Structures are given as C-alpha cells and as structure tokens.
Amino acid sequence: MIKVLLAEDQGMMRGALALLLGLEEDFEVVGQVSTGDRIVPTAREVRPDVAVLDIEMPGRSGLDAAADLHAELPDCKILIVTTFGRPGYLRRAMEAGASGFLVKDGPVEDLARAIRRVLAGERVVDPELATAALSAGPNPLTARERDVLTAAVDGSTIADIAGRLHLSESTVRNYLSAAIGKTGARNRIEAVRTARHNGWL
C-alpha cells in the first residue's frame, strides 16, 4: 500500500481527496492536516510514502514545510498541489525538495497517477507551468528581501518591520528599495503584488 499524507486547509476539499484516493486499491490515506505547522510532526508520526501538500495554508506555507519535511524524512516524496500555478512557486517547490507540482484544476486520476510516478522516482510537473517557469527565470529577490517584503504585506511601518525582523530601520529601507527595484515596482505595495503574482513570496 502507498501511504499518503494530505495537507489541505479546506475541509471539504481535503475530505473529498481522502475519499477519492481511498478508492484506489493501492492507496491508504494515513494522515490529514489542515495547517502547515502540522505537516512535519504528523509525517513523523505516520511515516507517509508521499505527502500531498497545498501551498497556502494557515500556520505555515506548504513550501516552507516541504523543505523541513525533505530534510527530516528524505524517503518521503513530496507532491505540491495548488490552486495557484505561479512560476516562482514551482521553482521554490523544486528547491525545497518536491518531486512534483500539479495545479488543482485537473482530474483526481491525474493526482493518483502523479503520486505513483513520484514514488517511482519520476518528476511530475504541470507542463504549462514548467514552460512559464523557464521563461520567467529565477527569483531575483534574496531571502532577506523576501522576509522584508513579506513583513510589509500588512502595511507595517519601517519601524514595525525593523523590530519584528531584528534589523535596523536603514537596513529595512535598503532591502525594500532593492526589492522595489528588482520587481520593477513604483512602491512597496506594487512590489508585494508583483512578487506574489510571480510566486516569489
């Protein structure tokens, strides 16, 4: 049996996936989580063969959890399944150790097939997204620039961001300025919007 862990914050979607995958003769859904911070602890308990992770989840993103899961349980294959087919997300998923990346609008048979393929050692990537990712190029933002932009999402002041990230205000301004320049934006609000659209945050 292929042991599967499902991480999806929408209860109805998670339940439907578990039900549909459970109908496959060779699958057993051994764990379900609704928040990103439960992915790694639950995987430690249930030891899945494949973890199917959503990206945008409360508590922690599926991409961040994927990197830790890959480090802690390297034999567990990771398949990212998301509503948001953004090129930057695909690149980050692969860097985090994911073996596959699918957009949710496909049939459940595609998901079952993808789970079997990643377990067999293949890479499975939505073809349209792969093309878009290649043409988009790498994420131009450094890790620190991403941190500062992420902290700026809610409209926080420079002082608030500096306090939260333990940086000086001038350093925060420098990072914001660099991020605005790299995204071709006029201000930090536009920079956040562009970075999110491309999956860089």
Side-chain angles (χ1 to χ4, degrees):
M1 293 292 279
I2 299 170
K3 296 187 291 183
V4 179
L5 169 66
L6 288 178
E8 162 65 56
D9 62 323
Q10 296 176 7
M12 193 177 289
M13 171 73 82
R14 189 174 62 253
L17 281 176
L19 188 65
L20 290 166
L21 290 176
L23 295 174
E24 300 287 328
E25 290 181 2
D26 53 342
F27 287 177
E28 181 187 1
V29 177
V30 292
Q32 299 181 45
V33 297
S34 59
T35 61
D37 51 6
R38 291 294 312 145
I39 292 171
V40 175
T42 303
R44 270 195 230 111
E45 290 169 27
V46 300
R47 299 282 167 171
D49 299 308
V50 180
V52 178
L53 311 181
D54 189 12
I55 290 179
E56 299 200 353
M57 300 184 71
R60 193 169 192 221
S61 90
L63 291 176
D64 291 337
D68 287 347
L69 181 57
H70 182 65
E72 285 204 36
L73 298 173
D75 291 337
C76 174
K77 301 295 183 184
I78 299 167
L79 181 60
I80 301 288
V81 182
T82 182
T83 307
F84 306 101
R86 296 173 181 159
Y89 279 170
L90 171 58
R91 195 173 289 273
R92 285 172 58 200
M94 294 301 136
E95 287 169 0
S99 298
F101 194 106
L102 294 180
V103 179
K104 281 182 187 173
D105 59 5
V108 75
E109 292 81 14
D110 286 358
L111 176 60
R113 199 174 301 117
I115 289 171
R116 292 186 186 99
R117 286 176 63 194
V118 297
L119 192 59
E122 294 181 46
R123 275 211 188 279
V124 181
V125 176
D126 183 275
E128 285 181 27
L129 196 56
T131 304
L134 286 171
S135 61
N139 184 347
L141 303 173
T142 66
R144 254 326 193 188
E145 287 162 1
R146 288 199 304 267
D147 290 343
V148 170
L149 263 191
T150 301
V153 164
D154 61 1
S156 294
T157 65
I158 298 289
D160 288 340
I161 296 169
R164 208 177 311 154
L165 298 179
H166 310 291
L167 298 170
S168 71
E169 291 184 29
S170 62
T171 301
V172 169
R173 282 193 191 89
N174 288 341
Y175 282 133
L176 281 175
S177 177
I180 289 166
K182 288 178 179 180
T183 55
R186 289 174 297 184
N187 54 49
R188 63 179 170 163
I189 305 299
E190 272 190 21
V192 167
R193 194 178 303 129
T194 300
R196 277 186 154 173
H197 175 74
N198 286 298
W200 295 336
L201 288 186

